[in-house]
Amino acid sequence: MNKWQEFRQASRMHFVPLMAICIIQGTLAAWVWNGKFNVWIALITMIGACAAHIFSMMINDLWDYRSGADKAAFESDEAISTDSGYLTSGKWSERSYEIVSWCVLAVALICAVILYMLSGWGVLLLGGLGCFMALFYVVPPVRYGYVGKGMSEMAHLLSFGIFPVMGSYYVQTGYFDPRLWILSLPMGILTTLTFFNHHFLHWKTDKQVGKRTLVVRWGVTKSFYFSIVLLSLALLSIIMCAIFGVIPIYGILVLIVAWPLCRMYSEMKGEKRNLQNHQRLLWLSLRTSLQFGGLLILLQLITRWFNT
């Protein structure tokens, strides 16, 4: 295995398309609504945002390893570890993992500085808030990801939905648009759903080490129903996009993509809410999020084509 393949696995890069979709959505909004598009700004934005996303996942893995959360999940028969495994298995040393994490952050910061010089203060506002949430999700003294009470879910909605969509639009235009709030909701909620579902895989070991996620606080049954609520909100947000003209009215047809995920929820009753099915639910949530994101991008392009 070469270094690039190792980095892809260590950084859990399979989640990065969630961020990339948001950047594309915001960039396309600037082009479709205002006719503004700079390919170099778009490229720097994509690199910086994806680097920030990778940093957030790697620093999360690093401090979950240090707190004992990932090691407990790795060693337990009652949990499925969702980290990269590069620390818990000893493939990378803690020091090496930390150095790579900070190097990735450096890439994100360099991109942010360039975008600030090109586009203005909005980059510092959104970038600063995003960096704070990425760093202190599990890093002391804040560690709000260990507190629960919906703080991590709100951070996911902002960091992997609202902020990247608004930021990628801003760097192209120099201002914000109220419609961005609606445009960012489907991917923001779907990403929140995806990350929320991964807590089911190791909630018992999270509880042992003091990581108080909503699944730990509420228990599996209540949290499972909240997961359904998140999916329902995501589907409603797509309808809102159509109602407010953010996507064409026929865009609601993309809701059919959610059918396999809805069926999975309906099948998970009683004893079927086991670790294996929760793992299937996680990956189906990710797949559904990516499919929705791809179709929403296609709808934006169709809108541009009909408007020209």
Side-chain angles (χ1 to χ4, degrees):
M1 184 182 300
N2 59 41
K3 296 297 182 182
W4 172 247
Q5 290 175 319
E6 286 188 4
F7 175 70
R8 287 181 59 187
Q9 293 183 7
S11 63
R12 293 187 288 163
M13 201 174 286
H14 48 271
F15 286 109
V16 171
L18 293 170
M19 175 63 73
I21 287 170
C22 293
I23 299 302
I24 294 171
Q25 282 189 303
T27 303
L28 282 178
W31 184 46
V32 173
W33 298 345
N34 307 102
K36 295 184 177 181
F37 175 71
N38 184 301
V39 65
W40 296 110
I41 289 179
L43 182 61
I44 295 170
T45 304
M46 181 66 75
I47 294 171
C50 290
H53 187 178
I54 291 171
F55 168 74
S56 71
M57 291 187 291
M58 294 191 72
I59 204 71
N60 182 10
D61 275 7
L62 179 63
W63 282 93
D64 272 346
Y65 173 77
R66 288 174 173 174
S67 72
D70 283 347
K71 186 176 181 181
F74 182 75
E75 296 175 347
S76 175
D77 293 331
E78 297 183 295
I80 296 176
S81 181
T82 56
D83 66 302
S84 66
Y86 271 63
L87 287 170
T88 50
S89 66
K91 291 181 181 179
W92 281 12
S93 69
E94 186 177 335
R95 180 60 177 165
S96 297
Y97 201 92
E98 183 176 20
I99 290 172
V100 173
S101 300
W102 291 113
C103 287
V104 173
L105 177 61
V107 173
L109 292 177
I110 290 170
C111 291
V113 170
I114 295 172
L115 291 172
Y116 166 70
M117 293 188 294
L118 293 174
S119 302
W121 63 271
V123 176
L124 293 182
L125 174 64
L126 296 179
L129 289 172
C131 184
F132 176 87
M133 289 189 290
L135 181 60
F136 291 108
Y137 182 74
V138 293
V139 175
V142 181
R143 301 181 82 189
Y144 66 87
Y146 278 61
V147 175
K149 299 182 179 180
M151 294 179 67
S152 60
E153 285 69 33
M154 181 58 66
H156 289 144
L157 176 63
L158 293 172
S159 300
F160 302 111
I162 295 173
F163 285 177
V165 171
M166 296 184 73
S168 54
Y169 178 93
Y170 175 85
V171 295
Q172 293 286 340
T173 64
Y175 52 85
F176 297 108
D177 188 306
R179 290 174 291 180
L180 295 169
W181 289 98
I182 301 172
L183 177 64
S184 65
L185 284 178
M187 282 307 299
I189 300 174
L190 285 166
T191 302
T192 302
L193 171 68
T194 299
F195 287 126
F196 180 79
N197 282 341
H198 97 277
H199 291 305
F200 288 101
L201 302 184
H202 40 68
W203 71 273
K204 290 183 179 180
T205 52
D206 284 345
K207 186 176 183 179
Q208 291 173 12
V209 300
K211 189 173 183 179
R212 307 287 290 178
T213 65
L214 281 183
V215 180
V216 171
R217 286 183 174 274
W218 288 350
V220 173
T221 301
K222 186 176 180 179
S223 299
F224 179 77
Y225 289 121
F226 179 68
S227 182
I228 296 175
V229 170
L230 284 176
L231 175 60
S232 301
L233 290 174
L235 301 183
L236 285 173
S237 70
I238 291 175
I239 297 174
M240 284 179 57
C241 285
I243 291 174
F244 287 94
V246 176
I247 62 174
I249 192 65
Y250 53 80
I252 60 174
L253 292 174
V254 304
L255 293 174
I256 196 172
V257 172
W259 171 245
L261 183 56
C262 293
R263 187 174 60 187
M264 182 70 190
Y265 275 105
S266 68
E267 292 175 354
M268 291 181 65
K269 299 176 181 178
E271 295 181 355
K272 290 188 177 181
R273 289 184 205 153
N274 51 44
L275 278 177
Q276 289 69 33
N277 280 336
H278 273 297
Q279 187 177 39
R280 288 178 56 204
L281 185 67
L282 166 62
W283 294 116
L284 190 54
S285 301
L286 175 60
R287 190 182 76 180
T288 304
S289 300
L290 296 177
Q291 289 173 337
F292 266 121
L295 288 173
L296 290 172
I297 288 171
L298 179 60
L299 287 169
Q300 287 180 280
L301 290 172
I302 291 173
T303 301
R304 171 66 183 183
W305 183 70
F306 277 116
N307 289 341
T308 54

